[in-house]
Amino acid sequence: MRSFLHLTSFQVYNIILLIIFAIVVNPINDLLIIYYSLYCVFHYLIIYLGIYHFRKSLYFIFFLYGLGLDLLWINEIGPHLLTFVFVLLILQFFKKYIINFNYLRIYFFLIFLQISMIFIEIFLSFILFSYPINLFFMIKVFVLSLVLSYPLFVIFSKIDLIK
């Protein structure tokens, strides 16, 4: 019988996602840099799971997180749900090509996909719900994504060693 302390890396990632989700949906205005950082980590982890730990259950997980973010922030179904599921479809379609990438290409692919994903969400929010595009927020997210990406990549590669 498996104890609580013997989790697989996929289970560890899902616990991390759940904790970050709980923090991100309730931002504290005094700690916005932490909030923006966790927002970037959340998206990075979503993509990381799609690349390294692809399972059919990810469709359900991505659906729930996308729906949760949309309903808790916008009170409508929209940009996060569409983007999360679309990215998972793209990852499934290109999985046979991504497997042949070396770690450096996968790293740059992760960064590119993460930043693109966040910008597409912002753009969809503007188109669907007329939310203003905040250029300052986009610059912060871009810089934080670049700064946090390599340490996250290293940490996640260590978590992947969990059997």
Side-chain angles (χ1 to χ4, degrees):
M1 187 168 164
R2 187 167 245 198
S3 73
F4 180 73
L5 298 176
H6 293 98
L7 299 173
T8 65
S9 57
F10 184 73
Q11 293 167 333
V12 171
Y13 289 131
N14 280 301
I15 291 169
I16 293 170
L17 265 180
L18 186 62
I19 291 168
I20 293 173
F21 176 79
I23 295 170
V24 165
V25 295
N26 298 311
I28 299 170
N29 290 334
D30 296 336
L31 304 171
L32 283 179
I33 192 72
I34 294 172
Y35 164 73
Y36 293 149
S37 299
L38 288 175
Y39 184 73
C40 294
V41 171
F42 184 81
H43 283 81
Y44 190 88
L45 183 53
I46 286 276
I47 297 165
Y48 191 88
L49 276 175
I51 291 175
Y52 284 105
H53 298 277
F54 187 84
R55 295 172 168 85
K56 297 292 182 188
S57 63
L58 282 180
Y59 283 104
F60 182 69
I61 293 168
F62 281 30
F63 176 82
L64 287 179
Y65 284 123
L67 184 67
L69 287 174
D70 285 340
L71 290 178
L72 293 171
W73 281 346
I74 308 173
N75 289 334
E76 298 279 344
I77 297 173
H80 291 94
L81 179 62
L82 293 173
T83 307
F84 287 1
V85 173
F86 184 69
V87 164
L88 192 57
L89 288 171
I90 288 173
L91 290 175
Q92 181 182 8
F93 182 73
F94 289 111
K95 185 175 170 90
K96 60 184 169 188
Y97 303 111
I98 295 171
I99 289 173
N100 295 326
F101 285 177
N102 61 12
Y103 76 95
L104 194 58
R105 277 190 174 170
I106 290 177
Y107 170 71
F108 286 121
F109 181 71
L110 269 163
I111 295 171
F112 171 75
L113 200 55
Q114 175 201 9
I115 293 170
S116 300
M117 186 176 175
I118 293 171
F119 289 168
I120 289 170
E121 289 170 1
I122 292 169
F123 185 68
L124 284 175
S125 295
F126 173 72
I127 290 175
L128 297 174
F129 306 111
S130 300
Y131 282 113
I133 294 177
N134 186 345
L135 187 61
F136 191 60
F137 172 74
M138 291 173 71
I139 292 170
K140 280 192 238 182
V141 166
F142 180 76
V143 170
L144 283 170
S145 295
L146 291 177
V147 169
L148 294 172
S149 62
Y150 188 72
L152 286 173
F153 193 72
V154 171
I155 291 169
F156 292 166
S157 66
K158 299 295 182 195
I159 293 174
D160 283 338
L161 297 176
I162 298 173
K163 298 288 179 198

